[in-house]
Amino acid sequence: MSDKTYASEVMVPPDETQETNPEKKPEKKSETHLEISMASDIKDGIKDVSPILFAIVPFAAVFGAVAIESGLSFGETMLTSLSIYAAASQYVMIDLMGQNVPVWSIVLAVFAVNFRHVLYSASIGRTMGAFSTLQKALAFFLLVDPQFASSESRAAKSGLRPAYYFAYAAMIYSTWIAANCVGALFGSLIDSPATYGLDFILPLYFTGLVAGFHKRPNFVPVLAISASVSLLAWFTIGSPWHITLGGIAGLITAAALSKPVKHKMEEETANA
């Protein structure tokens, strides 16, 4: 028997499990890492949203009470909150309905109040690379003021992922709906949030979030111009246009002061 023949006879076929095991192990490790990352994102989302839930509860409850007093049924009140899900717009709608304003005026006012969400979507959409098309659609529906501010902050620090975003959003949405329900049922027992100073919590929260962006390029001029235009609009045109115009002024300023990536790289190369 030749060496060649002997080798072919004793040669053991490669074990398929040995070939596939090296591939499976990293896969398993990757899946475990993904699960840990997702759990961490969910935990962070709940932790970050917790402070503002205390401010949302009274405002949501008061809306439920006001809506019932304005003539809406319990079902209409809940449907409004479930579908519109925009506190300022819902308050404006209820107020105008009580003044017998034409429907087209109510729609226009709600659009004016909510126009800032168009700006929010354009900005936050740049950071949603990890989101599917369906996830983006749902995320934009759930995009309210604190959600936007916190998501922008998260994206700048460690990247924005669906687990964080939807954990944060689910807490706000469920709290808003639950408090609406309580207000609609027991509205007569609820005082104004301003009585307890709770109306100051949200502005304070947003101030802290804005301050968190102070390391970004051109932070001071963008903030100064945006705030100035907003104040000017407040004293001339009035609410709610000051929010939209201030936001647009900030975006235009940021765009005007920003440098294209190619130009920035050329400058850095020249300086080096």
Side-chain angles (χ1 to χ4, degrees):
M1 185 182 293
S2 67
D3 292 341
K4 186 175 180 182
T5 306
Y6 178 79
S8 63
E9 287 179 0
V10 299
M11 188 178 294
V12 179
D15 189 353
E16 292 182 2
T17 57
Q18 290 179 357
E19 285 187 357
T20 54
N21 277 341
E23 295 178 1
K24 283 185 177 180
K25 285 180 182 177
E27 215 173 282
K28 188 175 181 181
K29 185 178 179 181
S30 177
E31 287 176 4
T32 305
H33 177 72
L34 183 62
E35 289 173 3
I36 294 173
S37 177
M38 185 179 295
S40 177
D41 281 346
I42 293 172
K43 181 180 177 181
D44 290 345
I46 295 174
K47 181 185 71 175
D48 290 349
V49 75
S50 295
I52 68 165
L53 295 181
F54 296 102
I56 291 174
V57 168
F59 279 102
V62 167
F63 172 78
V66 170
I68 295 296
E69 288 178 7
S70 300
L72 292 183
S73 66
F74 176 80
E76 289 169 339
T77 300
M78 297 311 298
L79 180 61
T80 297
S81 292
L82 286 166
S83 58
I84 298 177
Y85 184 50
S89 297
Q90 290 177 228
Y91 271 108
V92 168
M93 180 191 73
I94 292 296
D95 182 55
L96 295 179
M97 285 175 62
Q99 301 176 34
N100 295 319
V101 174
V103 175
W104 68 267
S105 296
I106 297 176
V107 172
L108 182 61
V110 169
F111 175 78
V113 174
N114 264 359
F115 185 76
R116 69 188 186 282
H117 290 273
V118 176
L119 306 179
Y120 289 171
S121 300
S123 177
I124 203 68
R126 300 175 296 109
T127 67
M128 289 183 166
F131 290 64
S132 67
T133 301
L134 184 60
Q135 286 175 330
K136 283 183 181 179
L138 180 59
F140 290 144
F141 169 72
L142 296 169
L143 185 59
V144 291
D145 297 320
Q147 180 81 49
F148 167 73
S150 185
S151 296
E152 280 283 337
S153 178
R154 180 73 174 187
K157 291 177 182 177
S158 58
L160 183 62
R161 291 174 290 276
Y164 175 88
Y165 188 99
F166 289 117
Y168 192 105
M171 293 296 291
I172 296 183
Y173 188 72
S174 59
T175 300
W176 173 257
I177 299 303
N180 270 188
C181 182
V182 171
L185 294 174
F186 309 103
S188 59
L189 304 176
I190 301 173
D191 291 326
S192 171
T195 305
Y196 307 102
L198 294 173
D199 57 328
F200 187 66
I201 295 179
L202 283 178
L204 186 63
Y205 175 78
F206 286 123
T207 301
L209 286 174
V210 170
F213 296 114
H214 69 281
K215 292 184 179 180
R216 290 196 174 187
N218 305 315
F219 171 79
V220 173
V222 170
L223 177 62
I225 292 175
S226 179
S228 299
V229 171
S230 184
L231 286 171
L232 181 63
W234 169 265
F235 288 111
T236 54
I237 305 174
S239 179
W241 291 103
H242 69 293
I243 299 174
T244 300
L245 293 177
I248 291 175
L251 284 175
I252 293 175
T253 304
L257 295 177
S258 64
K259 297 178 181 179
V261 177
K262 185 178 179 181
H263 182 61
K264 185 185 275 189
M265 289 177 66
E266 289 176 355
E267 277 191 359
E268 290 176 354
T269 305
N271 291 334

